[in-house]
């Protein structure tokens, strides 16, 4: 995830990706690595003096959400310079036409018209490097990153076809709620759009934000049948509220027995119950920043050792070693 805003994450990041990271790392099936992508964040204008706090805030959010450095590797992208090196090599097998098709590039270059830089354009190549450097097979992301991941797969295939089998093809892994809409109900939840509930919002703020949240484009009167399938509040219930209760909410919304106000009240309770332990852990970590910094240092060391091995294979595959001629 990018360390944007103050570095803290929102409910969309959490329900779309981070919650999956926590269960994957606890499950223990994978050797899981999670990274704060500060080099990616440099593609939009920022103040250098604020970046360390943003990076720290994102890493702290990872740990507060439940990622345990004993169960996974946590690190910061710029601590592993091989990401940038691999990105360069991968750029030589990436078709320009594919980059032009990326919807995120179109959106971001519209959003930041004063700074449409080359990094914004080649962003998905750096993302492919983030993945392939660790020979990752599974990448847990939200829906908006699926297109980038498809391109990572394409880059992987192109590299392997040209230089020999070097990387496995990575597959996306989505949560049941891979796209959380913002409080406006119109665009995806995102810090930069100001339509987000933050992971660290206090209960009263969550209540206020949900009260004002968009539900259904039809202005429902009490007793009108609702349409949970088009309602973002209902989607959030499916992610946060116990399953049996969700079925009841669905039925009561359709029959008109449950109005939007009460439906939001129930969601406020379940959301605050989910956020409480995360916020308590965040407070503990803020009091002991060394726990976060130490985890990032150890994580970077481990990530670099994997990255060093992969890059040796990549350079060899590409013939970038004058001291070891093959023939
Ligand atoms: P943002 O879009 O807020 O800048 P990032 O691009 O850093 O966040 O995304 C970090 C992760 O969170 C990605 O896996 C992305 O797919 C996921 N994500 C971001 N916003 C949402 C959302 N509204 N719904 C679901 N997943 C999301």
């Amino acid at each position: 995830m990018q360390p944007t805003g103050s570095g803290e994450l929102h409910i969309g990041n959490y329900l779309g990706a981070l919650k999956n990271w926590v269960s994957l790392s606890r499950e223990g099936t994978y050797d899981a690595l999670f990274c704060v992508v500060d080099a990616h964040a440099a593609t939009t204008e920022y103040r250098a003096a604020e970046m360390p706090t943003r990076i720290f805030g994102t890493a702290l959010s990872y740990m507060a959400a439940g990622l345990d450095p004993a169960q996974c590797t946590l690190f910061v992208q710029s601590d592993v310079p091989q990401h940038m090196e691999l990105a360069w090599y991968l750029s030589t097998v990436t078709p320009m036409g594919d980059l032009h098709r990326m919807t995120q590039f179109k959106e971001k270059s519209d959003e930041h018209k004063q700074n449409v830089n080359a990094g914004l354009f080649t962003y998905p190549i750096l993302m492919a490097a983030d993945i392939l450097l660790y020979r990752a097979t599974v990448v847990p992301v939200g829906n908006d990153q699926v297109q980038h991941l498809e391109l990572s797969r394409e880059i992987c295939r192109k590299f392997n076809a040209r230089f020999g089998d070097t990387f496995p093809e990575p597959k996306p892994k989505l949560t049941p709620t891979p796209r959380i809409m913002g409080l406006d109900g119109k665009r995806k939840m995102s810090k930069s759009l100001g339509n987000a509930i933050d992971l660290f919002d206090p209960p009263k703020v969550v209540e206020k934000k949900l009260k004002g949240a968009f539900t259904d484009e039809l202005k429902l009167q009490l007793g009108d049948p609702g349409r949970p399938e088009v309602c973002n509040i209902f989607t959030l219930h499916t992610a946060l509220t116990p399953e049996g209760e969700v079925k009841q909410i669905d039925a009561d919304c359709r029959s008109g027995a449950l109005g939007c106000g009460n439906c939001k009240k129930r969601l406020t309770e379940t959301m605050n119950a989910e956020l409480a332990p995360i916020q308590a852990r965040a407070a503990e970590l803020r009091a002991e920043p060394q726990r976060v910094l130490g985890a990032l240092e150890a994580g970077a060391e481990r990530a670099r050792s994997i990255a060093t091995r992969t890059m040796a294979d990549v350079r060899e595959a590409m013939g970038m070693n004058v001291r070891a001629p093959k023939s």
Side-chain angles (χ1 to χ4, degrees):
M1 294 194 192
Q2 293 192 67
T4 42
S6 52
E8 287 148 11
L9 303 173
H10 54 72
I11 284 281
N13 297 133
Y14 177 66
L15 297 178
L18 187 53
K19 210 174 167 183
N20 231 1
W21 299 8
V22 175
S23 46
L24 280 171
S25 68
R26 286 189 182 154
E27 212 174 87
T29 316
Y30 300 99
D31 175 8
L33 295 102
F34 302 106
C35 160
V36 178
V37 293
D38 53 348
H40 273 108
T43 55
T44 46
E45 252 161 61
Y46 70 101
R47 286 154 63 111
E50 288 170 4
M51 190 53 106
T53 311
R54 287 167 43 176
I55 297 169
F56 180 81
T58 306
L60 180 138
S61 302
Y62 287 0
M63 288 175 65
L67 287 183
D68 178 348
Q71 293 170 325
C72 62
T73 300
L74 301 175
F75 66 101
V76 180
Q77 187 182 29
S78 64
D79 277 341
V80 187
Q82 287 90 343
H83 285 245
M84 310 347 140
E85 183 186 3
L86 181 57
W88 172 259
Y89 290 134
L90 296 180
S91 77
T92 66
V93 295
T94 307
M96 289 282 280
D98 287 2
L99 291 174
H100 273 297
R101 274 197 293 279
M102 295 296 114
T103 49
Q104 186 173 298
F105 173 68
K106 292 178 201 158
E107 279 168 17
K108 292 239 159 132
S109 43
D110 268 351
E111 219 178 292
H112 305 280
K113 284 204 173 64
Q114 76 296 353
N115 182 18
V116 183
N117 59 76
L120 209 52
F121 186 62
T122 56
Y123 185 110
I125 305 177
L126 183 56
M127 179 164 156
D130 299 338
I131 297 164
L132 300 181
L133 192 54
Y134 303 97
R135 296 185 159 112
T137 49
V138 171
V139 189
V141 286
N143 203 40
D144 59 332
Q145 291 303 323
V146 169
Q147 191 187 36
H148 282 168
L149 202 53
E150 265 315 312
L151 181 53
S152 294
R153 287 157 62 82
E154 180 63 20
I155 293 172
C156 169
R157 285 191 288 265
K158 285 216 150 56
F159 187 97
N160 287 345
R162 181 141 168 226
F163 298 113
D165 238 351
T166 308
F167 305 112
E169 249 183 67
K171 288 191 188 65
K173 187 171 176 70
L174 301 178
T175 66
T177 49
R179 183 176 165 83
I180 300 291
M181 299 302 283
L183 295 171
D184 54 3
K186 296 197 167 52
R187 300 184 63 180
K188 75 157 197 163
M189 187 177 283
S190 166
K191 271 262 170 70
S192 56
L193 298 172
N195 62 2
I197 295 179
D198 297 346
L199 228 41
F200 299 153
D201 274 344
K204 283 277 165 218
V205 174
V206 171
E207 184 185 356
K208 189 161 174 250
K209 284 186 175 174
L210 283 178
K211 246 187 201 158
F214 181 91
T215 48
D216 186 347
E217 67 265 32
L218 300 174
K219 289 233 171 345
L220 296 179
Q221 306 291 321
L222 200 61
D224 279 356
R227 303 185 302 166
E229 67 279 7
V230 295
C231 182
N232 193 33
I233 297 296
F234 183 74
T235 307
L236 290 167
H237 269 302
T238 62
L240 294 164
T241 306
E243 215 177 309
E245 218 181 301
V246 172
K247 284 203 182 102
Q248 194 61 49
I249 290 171
D250 183 295
D252 290 350
C253 169
R254 286 179 200 284
S255 73
L258 179 69
C260 294
N262 283 333
C263 185
K264 286 174 170 180
K265 257 192 210 146
R266 182 66 192 117
L267 182 63
T268 304
E269 284 162 20
T270 52
M271 192 176 285
N272 281 332
E274 179 95 8
L275 296 185
I278 297 177
Q279 297 181 357
R281 271 195 297 269
E284 283 169 28
L285 291 165
R286 277 197 200 290
E288 288 179 272
Q290 197 46 44
R291 279 172 57 196
V292 178
L293 298 173
L296 293 177
E297 205 178 316
E301 203 165 306
R302 168 145 202 271
R304 276 193 299 265
S305 81
I306 302 173
T308 303
R309 274 178 271 142
T310 307
M311 285 317 299
D313 292 348
V314 167
R315 285 188 222 105
E316 163 137 2
M318 296 184 76
M320 303 289 177
N321 190 350
V322 71
R323 284 170 297 279
K326 282 272 168 253
S327 56

